[in-house]
């Protein structure tokens, strides 16, 4: 093991924060507004922490060989991304990214272009970024003697539990919205059946474009709004799909602005 357990925890936390900063700055610039990224409540993205620490451990023996580092890093990062996507789908019924439009993709979870990007990123990370980070961690370890790692475990552990509860509630909320939308569609079908001849074309148009009709309906009858964290999740992951609430997916962006 090239790192102690305490070092692994601090590395995980460090790169989780770095990943959060990167995504927040990048997405804020791209969207022209502040975007609070991340799956958990705190300012960190654990997926980056897990990915980077896994890569640092698995590439430790080949870190001096650029070609092997690129190949191993590309493979490890791609496997990690695939497993993370599968985990989110099976456990949380969510799909946060989708590469289905990219050539050679595998179930939309990974794609060759993205894997090549990860390989280059791993080389830059291991050869140029990690040496500096490691020097900082060595200084921190000598000063705190592992206490920082303990605080990280307690803090992020608590955050994870609270986030799990919030995501469970979010999933229930999306299904409730799906049921509400389904009932609304049934009302539209009934209106088509009962419509007068001069109204029938309009009613059919409303049914065909039910999502916009539902949005217009919400503007007049707002109903229950999403929580701050639920709106944040939708804004943070605009490509997110709730797999068992397909109607909700079509109006989620509107709901996130309420």
């Amino acid at each position: 093991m090239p790192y102690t357990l305490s070092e692994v925890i601090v590395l995980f936390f460090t790169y989780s924060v770095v990943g959060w900063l990167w995504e927040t700055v990048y997405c804020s610039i791209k969207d022209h507004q502040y975007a609070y990224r991340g799956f958990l409540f705190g300012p960190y993205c654990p997926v980056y922490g897990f990915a980077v620490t896994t890569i640092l451990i698995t590439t430790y023996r080949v870190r001096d060989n650029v070609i092997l580092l690129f190949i191993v890093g590309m493979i490890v990062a791609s496997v990690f991304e695939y497993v993370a996507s599968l985990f989110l789908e099976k456990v949380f019924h969510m799909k946060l990214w989708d590469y289905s439009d990219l050539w050679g993709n595998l179930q939309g979870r990974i794609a060759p272009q993205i894997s090549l990007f990860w390989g280059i990123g791993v080389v830059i990370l291991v050869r140029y970024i990690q040496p500096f980070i490691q020097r900082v961690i060595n200084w921190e370890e000598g000063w705190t003697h592992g206490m920082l790692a303990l605080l990280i475990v307690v803090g992020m552990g608590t955050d994870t539990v609270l986030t799990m509860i919030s995501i469970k509630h979010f999933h229930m909320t999306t299904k409730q919205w799906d049921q509400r939308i389904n009932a609304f569609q049934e009302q539209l079908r009934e209106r088509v059946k009962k419509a007068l001849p001069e109204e029938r074309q309009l009613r059919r148009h409303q049914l065909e474009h039910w999502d916009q009709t539902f949005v217009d309906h919400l503007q007049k009858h707002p109903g229950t709004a999403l929580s701050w964290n639920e709106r944040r999740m939708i804004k943070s992951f605009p490509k997110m799909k709730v797999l068992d609430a397909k109607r909700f997916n079509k109006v989620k962006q509107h709901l996130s602005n309420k």
Side-chain angles (χ1 to χ4, degrees):
M1 184 68 175
Y3 306 100
T4 66
L5 177 60
S6 178
E7 286 179 315
V8 169
I9 293 172
V10 177
L11 277 170
F12 163 76
F13 177 76
T14 300
Y15 284 109
S16 295
V17 173
V18 171
W20 178 86
L21 287 171
W22 155 253
E23 287 217 0
T24 298
V25 172
Y26 172 77
C27 292
S28 295
I29 294 174
K30 185 183 69 171
D31 299 338
H32 305 290
Q33 61 179 358
Y34 177 68
Y36 188 94
R37 299 289 292 181
F39 195 68
L40 301 181
F41 289 107
Y44 31 67
C45 292
V47 65
Y48 284 94
F50 279 120
V52 173
T53 50
T54 300
I55 287 169
L56 289 176
I57 292 171
T58 54
T59 61
Y60 187 80
R61 295 183 182 278
V62 297
R63 65 189 186 280
D64 295 324
N65 187 315
V66 175
I67 296 177
L68 284 178
L69 181 60
F70 172 81
I71 294 173
V72 174
M74 181 177 63
I75 293 172
V76 172
S78 299
V79 170
F80 184 90
E81 188 174 34
Y82 183 91
V83 172
S85 173
L86 190 63
F87 174 80
L88 288 169
E89 181 177 322
K90 299 302 181 183
V91 176
F92 296 110
H93 307 283
M94 292 181 178
K95 199 169 187 178
L96 300 186
W97 62 85
D98 189 356
Y99 301 140
S100 297
D101 58 336
L102 298 181
W103 175 85
N105 74 88
L106 181 59
Q107 300 173 355
R109 306 181 195 280
I110 57 175
Q113 303 95 310
I114 305 300
S115 296
L116 288 173
F117 169 79
W118 290 134
I120 296 170
V122 167
V123 172
I124 296 173
L125 167 73
V126 174
R127 297 296 292 271
Y128 302 103
I129 299 175
Q130 175 56 20
F132 169 75
I133 296 293
Q134 188 61 48
R135 285 195 295 271
V136 175
I137 291 177
N138 290 341
W139 171 83
E140 173 274 323
E141 286 288 293
W143 188 61
T144 68
H145 303 288
M147 285 302 298
L148 178 59
L150 179 60
L151 291 174
I152 290 171
V153 170
V154 173
M156 294 192 72
T158 302
D159 193 342
T160 300
V161 172
L162 294 176
T163 300
M164 293 291 186
I165 295 172
S166 176
I167 294 302
K168 183 68 175 178
H169 181 268
F170 176 63
H171 184 227
M172 292 173 59
T173 299
T174 61
K175 298 189 75 172
Q176 290 170 356
W177 275 102
D178 230 40
Q179 293 169 2
R180 181 177 175 181
I181 295 169
N182 188 50
F184 182 77
Q185 286 181 303
E186 287 299 322
Q187 292 178 2
L188 292 179
R189 293 188 184 96
E190 287 299 317
R191 290 177 185 175
V192 171
K193 292 178 182 178
K194 297 178 180 179
L196 297 174
E198 61 270 21
E199 297 179 333
R200 194 159 295 150
Q201 184 175 356
L202 172 62
R203 297 303 183 190
R204 285 175 176 169
H205 181 270
Q206 290 175 332
L207 178 59
E208 183 179 355
H209 302 280
W210 65 264
D211 49 340
Q212 184 57 52
T213 307
F214 184 70
V215 168
D216 294 339
H217 171 76
L218 287 179
Q219 291 176 347
K220 299 176 182 178
H221 308 87
T224 305
L226 298 175
S227 69
W228 170 83
N229 192 53
E230 290 167 345
R231 294 196 304 272
R232 180 185 69 85
M233 284 290 297
I234 295 173
K235 291 179 179 180
S236 295
F237 302 100
K239 293 185 178 181
M240 175 185 68
K241 296 178 182 178
V242 185
L243 300 179
D244 54 356
K246 295 182 179 180
R247 294 177 182 86
F248 171 83
N249 291 327
K250 297 204 69 174
V251 298
K252 67 181 190 300
Q253 294 301 332
H254 170 77
L255 295 177
S256 69
N257 295 323
K258 290 181 61 181

